[in-house]
Amino acid sequence: MTTTGHPAPTGNTAATTPALLRTAAELDALPRPAGAERAVVMTMGALHDGHATLIRTAREAAGPDGQVVVTVFVNPLQFGEAADLDRYPRTLDADLETAAAAGADAVFAPGLDEVYPGGEPQVRITAGPMGERLEGASRPGHFDGMLTVVAKLLHLTRPDEAFYGQKDAQQLALIRRMVRDLNFGVRITGVPTVRDPDGLALSSRNRFLSPQERHTALALPRALFAAQDRLAAQQALHERAMATAPGGDRAAGLNKLGEARAAADAQAVALARPNGAPAAVRATARAILEEAAARDRYPLVLDYLALVDPADFTEIPDDRESGDAILAVAARVGETRLIDNIPLTFGALT
């Protein structure tokens, strides 16, 4: 594929070659019509349809007169081991094709020296307490490195709006917090996770899974969606019981519905709370993950399963009766580490 360092016209709605920009000077020279929105999608390359969805969403938001810039940079600051950094796929030619088909106007793919002239930066963004939980606990320093490069790329690209995938929910939450705490003048928009037909969340790491390992990895989305279904069932059961219960007696309401087994089961009745049960959500997901971990071949090695508050990624207590939550999971299958999550709402029928 032929690429160019010269700016492409804005409003690239056809699959034409986007401008390939390698330096900050070339990025500064990219024409930006007065009043037009600039949308940015940040990636580390190896683009798949999840990234393409981000770019298409950015294209729609920016409008035909706006501008969509995709960044491609494998950031060494967020890799704990040199082997992981070396293993990360670099597929720039294919990335340009994907970006073009999705409607990008330009791809900013700087070299290491362009982003970090003189070596690793001495001044960095610190993720704080939220950055030490879950992914941060498993990968110390990861979020400091991620926020540092995001801050630099936001300054370099100067977007009106930046788009990130919900699959990396903790990353998205930290970027939102950084932008709010440090008064960045940019809108941060999350885009729902894109999944393959079998349910596995799209990731550049999926290519490393063997067919057998992929079969094991499907336990991650299966656990998440089973937990979502359990929550919906608990909340529906409560609503039905309350609709028929004399004086708010759940057990009596369930009996009146003819659901004697549920009424006789103290645990089931207790879990039919007004807004579902965090404990039931966790237990449902964990049972599926434990089954996958017990396999003789190609087992799943669980890193964490957590039901957290999306504002700060602290654990949701078992007595939570309402509000939003994220059920997040990380596990290793073979040599490949995968993450996934699903948003949940307690206190509302779904």
Side-chain angles (χ1 to χ4, degrees):
M1 178 176 181
T2 302
T3 60
T4 175
H6 300 292
T10 58
N12 181 22
T13 55
T16 56
T17 303
L20 174 59
L21 312 174
R22 291 292 200 172
T23 68
E26 290 176 342
L27 184 61
D28 286 340
L30 185 68
R32 186 172 184 174
E37 288 268 308
R38 175 179 284 181
V40 165
V41 175
M42 295 182 186
T43 81
M44 291 203 299
L47 302 189
H48 48 65
D49 195 52
H51 297 109
T53 297
L54 288 171
I55 299 168
R56 288 192 293 266
T57 304
R59 175 79 273 159
E60 183 177 355
D65 297 324
Q67 190 175 73
V68 176
V69 177
V70 177
T71 69
V72 175
F73 178 67
V74 182
N75 178 34
L77 298 189
Q78 61 196 77
F79 285 84
E81 298 180 7
D84 289 338
L85 175 62
D86 293 340
R87 189 177 182 226
Y88 197 88
R90 276 81 165 173
T91 58
L92 184 57
D93 287 343
D95 294 344
L96 289 166
E97 293 179 1
T98 299
D105 296 299
V107 172
F108 179 48
L112 185 61
D113 291 340
E114 185 69 22
V115 178
Y116 301 123
E120 292 190 4
Q122 296 185 34
V123 177
R124 307 188 186 195
I125 301 291
T126 299
M130 190 183 353
E132 298 172 357
R133 300 173 185 133
L134 301 187
E135 284 299 292
S138 298
R139 305 166 68 186
H142 167 74
F143 285 125
D144 291 356
M146 179 275 295
L147 289 179
T148 298
V149 79
V150 167
K152 293 202 69 166
L153 290 173
L154 286 175
H155 287 312
L156 288 168
T157 58
R158 293 175 286 113
D160 298 287
E161 189 169 9
F163 294 80
Y164 302 90
Q166 179 65 37
K167 186 181 82 71
D168 297 295
Q170 193 172 4
Q171 169 180 282
L172 174 59
L174 281 163
I175 292 171
R176 283 177 166 151
R177 187 60 185 253
M178 177 185 73
V179 165
R180 182 172 66 251
D181 285 356
L182 301 183
N183 298 103
F184 280 66
V186 60
R187 300 188 302 275
I188 302 299
T189 298
V191 178
T193 301
V194 179
R195 299 180 181 276
D196 274 329
D198 61 8
L200 194 65
L202 295 189
S203 169
S204 301
R205 299 176 184 271
N206 290 354
R207 68 187 66 197
F208 300 128
L209 296 169
S210 69
Q212 297 87 350
E213 289 171 340
R214 185 182 179 95
H215 179 73
T216 297
L218 292 178
L220 271 67
R222 192 163 64 248
L224 296 178
F225 285 109
Q228 183 185 55
D229 290 345
R230 176 67 181 272
L231 176 59
Q234 290 293 149
Q235 294 180 162
L237 177 62
H238 167 77
E239 292 295 327
R240 293 168 63 199
M242 290 299 97
T244 58
D249 186 333
R250 286 194 297 273
L254 290 168
N255 271 323
K256 190 172 181 180
L257 287 168
E259 301 186 40
R261 282 204 317 172
D265 185 339
Q267 181 183 21
V269 174
L271 291 178
R273 290 176 178 160
N275 304 293
V281 166
R282 291 187 181 95
T284 298
R286 187 169 295 279
I288 293 173
L289 296 170
E290 288 177 349
E291 179 184 357
R295 291 178 180 165
D296 292 335
R297 302 183 66 189
Y298 313 107
L300 179 148
V301 180
L302 184 64
D303 187 347
Y304 61 75
L305 173 70
L307 183 65
V308 297
D309 188 322
D312 58 10
F313 274 66
T314 55
E315 282 280 349
I316 295 290
D318 283 347
D319 61 357
R320 171 68 63 87
E321 293 188 349
S322 64
D324 294 332
I326 292 175
L327 183 62
V329 62
R332 188 175 295 275
V333 182
E335 297 299 317
T336 305
R337 188 176 183 275
L338 301 172
I339 63 172
D340 202 349
N341 70 84
I342 192 169
L344 301 173
T345 300
F346 290 88
L349 290 174
T350 57

